[in-house]
Amino acid sequence: MGRGALNPDDDGYIGYMLSDVARLIRTVFDRRVRKLGLTRAQWLCLTRLHRRPGASQTELAEMLEIDRASAGRMIDRMEKAGWVQRRPDDGDRRVNRLYLTPGARKSHARMWKIAEATVDDALGALSPREREAFTRMTARVKGRLQALAGASP
């Protein structure tokens, strides 16, 4: 594929395919985790807090790419449902740190199994060697994009 003019009707364009693959994986995963009682916003929140326990509301909003007020409302709902705990920051009384509850950690473990199965199903048409190559190449592209965006890996 060259770098020439893009045809907006070409479904084979790599940019469209990457977007479609990401969207379809999320759609399949959404359907599968719905039986756990989780919405997309909730499973994204659980995933981010699992990876970064003790994040602040502002940090969570940045990770989810939403505004602080929306993050606050979501945290309120998740706290009320028993998914998230707010704990005061030792160094700054104005900041609350966010942690998953034991029940949320169990749900995250179940959710992770569903995520692994979804990826396995999505990549099922690839041989083990192709999967490994695809993973390496995708990691290189991700690293390049993070550098371009000025983000840390």
Side-chain angles (χ1 to χ4, degrees):
M1 262 179 231
R3 294 182 178 207
L6 300 178
N7 179 352
D9 298 324
D10 184 3
D11 287 338
Y13 173 62
I14 187 76
Y16 293 154
M17 285 192 293
L18 289 171
S19 178
D20 288 347
V21 166
R23 179 183 51 78
L24 288 164
I25 286 176
R26 282 190 309 270
T27 298
V28 171
F29 182 72
D30 281 347
R31 289 179 184 155
R32 291 177 176 187
V33 297
R34 204 170 288 147
K35 65 185 171 195
L36 299 178
L38 295 169
T39 66
R40 179 177 292 179
Q42 290 170 326
W43 67 253
L44 283 168
C45 182
L46 289 180
T47 300
R48 298 307 187 269
L49 290 177
H50 175 79
R51 293 178 74 184
R52 294 257 328 266
S56 69
Q57 178 177 318
T58 299
E59 292 165 338
L60 180 63
E62 289 170 4
M63 288 185 274
L64 296 174
E65 298 179 348
I66 60 176
D67 62 77
R68 286 181 56 210
S70 296
R73 288 189 297 273
M74 182 172 57
I75 293 163
D76 288 343
R77 287 190 304 272
M78 291 187 74
E79 185 178 38
K80 187 176 180 180
W83 295 99
V84 174
Q85 294 177 331
R86 286 181 165 111
R87 297 183 200 157
D89 183 285
D90 293 335
D92 187 343
R93 294 184 329 194
R94 299 168 296 170
V95 176
N96 282 310
R97 296 289 168 185
L98 305 169
Y99 296 89
L100 298 180
T101 63
R105 286 193 298 275
K106 287 179 185 173
S107 289
H108 183 272
R110 288 193 302 267
M111 186 177 75
W112 186 252
K113 288 179 183 174
I114 294 169
E116 287 178 321
T118 301
V119 170
D120 282 344
D121 290 345
L123 300 180
L126 302 179
S127 71
R129 178 181 241 163
E130 289 171 323
R131 267 181 89 147
E132 188 177 308
F134 180 73
T135 300
R136 275 195 321 272
M137 289 185 282
T138 303
R140 283 180 27 211
V141 170
K142 178 183 175 182
R144 172 78 174 139
L145 288 169
Q146 286 173 322
L148 290 170
S152 59

